[in-house]
Amino acid sequence: MIRIEDVSYEYASGKRAIDGVTLEFRPGTISAVLGESGSGKTTMLMCLGRFLRPQRGAITLDGKDVFELPEAEFRRKVGIVFQKLYLFPHLTVLENMVLAPVHALSRPSGDARHEAMEMLDRLGIADIAASYPAQVSGGQAQRAAIARGLLLRPEYMLLDEPTSALDANTTDAFAEWLADLKDVTNFVIVTHDILFARKLASDGVYLSGGKVLDSGRVDDMIRHVRAGQLVEAGGRRD
Ligand SMILES: Nc1ncnc2c1ncn2[C@@H]1O[C@H](COP(=O)(O)OP(=O)(O)OP(=O)(O)O)[C@@H](O)[C@H]1O
Ligand SMILES: [Mg+2]
C-alpha cells in the first residue's frame, strides 16, 4: 500500500502545490486522481515517484519510507509514465520496450521481445514496433511508454493523463486494456476525463488548490463534488 501522510510540497518560487495531503492507494484497486488544472496532481505524482522531495510529511510503500528505499528496488516497484516524457528518440519502439527488461532485469532478449510484441498487439499498435518515436503519433508513443513500463511488472504504475492524446474510441479500448491488467499492477491514474475515471477506477481522490477536497469511491465522489468543480469536466461527455 502507498500511503501519503500530511505531505506538502513547495516549489522554489514559493508556490505550495501540495498542501497537507493525506491519502492511501490500496493494492488491488485502480485509483484515480482528479482535480482541475493546477490543483497539484502532477506535483503529487512527482513526489510519489521520488522526483520531488516533500518538505513536510511522509510517503510510505508497505510501511517503508520511499525516500529510504534503494533506487533500484524503488524503481522496480513503482513505475511512472509522465505526460511528456515518452521514449528514447534514437531507439525504435520495440528497442525502447526491451531495453530495461534485458539490461536491468537480465531477461533473455527473445522473451522480452516476444512479450513486448504481445503487449503492442493488444494495444492495437503492433505496426509501430519498428518505428522511431518521431514517426508515431503522440497517443501511440504514450501507450508504448506505458506498455514499456508494465514489462517491468511494477507493483504500482502511476500514469499522468494517459488519455490526453487519445480520441474517444481509442480511450475506450485503452480503458479496457488497463482494466485487463489490473491483476498485474496497481494503477494510480491522473486524469481530467471523468468518464474514463468512472469506467476504470474504483477509488479516487479529488485535489483542489493542493488539498484533498474529496476521496473515496469514484462514483460517490463524482456525485459529491458534481455541484461544484466537477461539472465542467464531467459535463462534456456525460
Ligand atoms: N516547476 C514549477 N515551479 C513553480 N511552480 C510550479 C512548477 N510546476 C508546477 N507549479 C505550480 O504548482 C501548481 C500545481 O501544478 P501541477 O502541475 O502539479 O498541477 P496539475 O494538477 O498537474 O495541473 P494540470 O491538470 O494542468 O496538469 C500550479 O499552480 C503550478 O503553476
Ligand atoms: Mg499535470
Side-chain angles (χ1 to χ4, degrees), residues 106-169:
S106 306
R107 304 256 316 276
S109 158
D111 291 2
R113 292 173 78 89
H114 181 72
E115 202 181 339
M117 280 309 299
E118 230 169 44
M119 274 216 183
L120 290 176
D121 196 29
R122 274 173 71 187
L123 274 168
I125 49 173
D127 55 325
I128 65 163
S131 304
Y132 287 90
Q135 301 168 324
V136 308
S137 79
Q140 288 170 334
Q142 206 171 13
R143 276 175 288 164
I146 293 167
R148 175 182 63 177
L150 283 169
L151 283 181
L152 297 177
R153 300 200 186 88
E155 280 173 34
Y156 282 86
M157 188 78 192
L158 319 176
L159 307 179
D160 197 2
E161 301 283 0
T163 62
S164 56
L166 303 181
D167 60 67
N169 282 339

Side-chain angles (χ1 to χ4, degrees), residues 5 14 47 68 73 86 104 117 123 126 131 140 145-146 153 162 176 185 207-208 220 222 232:
E5 204 164 344
C47 292
E68 312 268 294
E73 184 185 345
Y86 296 144
M117 280 309 299
L123 274 168
S131 304
Q140 288 170 334
I146 293 167
R153 300 200 186 88
E176 280 169 28
T185 188
L207 294 182
S208 178
D220 296 341
I222 286 169
E232 195 191 330

Side-chain angles (χ1 to χ4, degrees), residues 16-207:
R16 184 172 295 179
I18 293 288
D19 191 3
V21 165
T22 295
L23 56 91
E24 289 173 355
F25 295 119
R26 291 186 292 123
T29 55
I30 297 183
S31 307
V33 179
L34 302 159
E36 71 263 42
S37 184
S39 59
K41 305 182 299 294
T42 296
T43 306
M44 192 181 79
L45 228 52
M46 298 274 280
C47 292
L48 270 181
R50 283 204 342 188
F51 297 105
L52 297 175
R53 186 161 195 156
Q55 289 87 356
R56 210 181 75 197
I59 303 177
T60 56
L61 175 62
D62 299 331
K64 290 189 197 142
D65 187 333
V66 295
F67 289 93
E68 312 268 294
L69 290 172
E71 175 72 9
E73 184 185 345
F74 178 74
R75 296 285 160 220
R76 233 186 359 257
K77 288 187 170 172
V78 179
I80 182 161
V81 179
F82 287 107
Q83 215 178 326
K84 284 177 192 153
L85 299 176
Y86 296 144
L87 305 165
F88 294 115
H90 61 294
L91 299 177
T92 66
V93 166
L94 188 63
E95 286 164 356
N96 260 282
M97 291 184 68
V98 300
L99 192 65
V102 170
H103 292 282
L105 301 184
S106 306
R107 304 256 316 276
S109 158
D111 291 2
R113 292 173 78 89
H114 181 72
E115 202 181 339
M117 280 309 299
E118 230 169 44
M119 274 216 183
L120 290 176
D121 196 29
R122 274 173 71 187
L123 274 168
I125 49 173
D127 55 325
I128 65 163
S131 304
Y132 287 90
Q135 301 168 324
V136 308
S137 79
Q140 288 170 334
Q142 206 171 13
R143 276 175 288 164
I146 293 167
R148 175 182 63 177
L150 283 169
L151 283 181
L152 297 177
R153 300 200 186 88
E155 280 173 34
Y156 282 86
M157 188 78 192
L158 319 176
L159 307 179
D160 197 2
E161 301 283 0
T163 62
S164 56
L166 303 181
D167 60 67
N169 282 339
T170 315
T171 296
D172 286 347
F174 180 67
E176 280 169 28
W177 180 71
L178 289 182
D180 277 350
L181 286 163
K182 75 165 186 260
D183 296 331
V184 174
T185 188
N186 300 297
F187 287 105
V188 175
I189 303 173
V190 169
T191 182
H192 280 114
D193 189 334
I194 304 293
L195 208 62
F196 175 68
R198 190 189 261 166
K199 194 171 283 167
L200 199 60
S202 52
D203 294 7
V205 57
Y206 189 88
L207 294 182

